[in-house]
Amino acid sequence: FRNPAGAAAYVAFVADHAASYWGPGTAVQRVTSAGRPGFFVRGASCGCHRESPILVTVVSQRARVSWLLVNGPGATRARAEALAAHMP
């Protein structure tokens, strides 16, 4: 982004519209990852027999937005947070 305000606005937009991306029932929580503010998103459950979670971390620092999507049977918030801490 051209400036920190644009990056922060995009992160807020993703959080505000999370249900549009991942469905009604999507949970959004504030998070700080490696000093970067943003949001942790758990996509809504589809109720499928073999469903795996969709976990998204989106944060910003200065004019950069970092985005991490983790899913699969071993996906947990703790694992997502550990990986997010290493994002550029």
Side-chain angles (χ1 to χ4, degrees):
F1 289 83
R2 288 185 189 208
N3 58 52
Y10 177 75
V11 170
F13 177 87
V14 171
D16 290 345
H17 296 87
S20 296
Y21 297 115
W22 298 287
T26 293
V28 179
Q29 296 175 316
R30 289 192 179 276
V31 69
T32 300
S33 177
R36 300 167 296 186
F39 296 91
F40 176 80
V41 179
R42 176 180 287 277
S45 172
C46 70
C48 303
H49 172 69
R50 302 188 112 197
E51 176 182 26
S52 59
I54 297 172
L55 309 176
V56 179
T57 304
V58 59
V59 295
S60 67
Q61 184 174 42
R62 296 185 293 278
R64 171 179 266 173
V65 171
S66 297
W67 175 296
L68 174 73
L69 185 144
V70 176
N71 72 334
T76 65
R77 181 171 180 159
R79 287 180 177 160
E81 287 179 356
L83 287 169
H86 297 284
M87 292 189 297

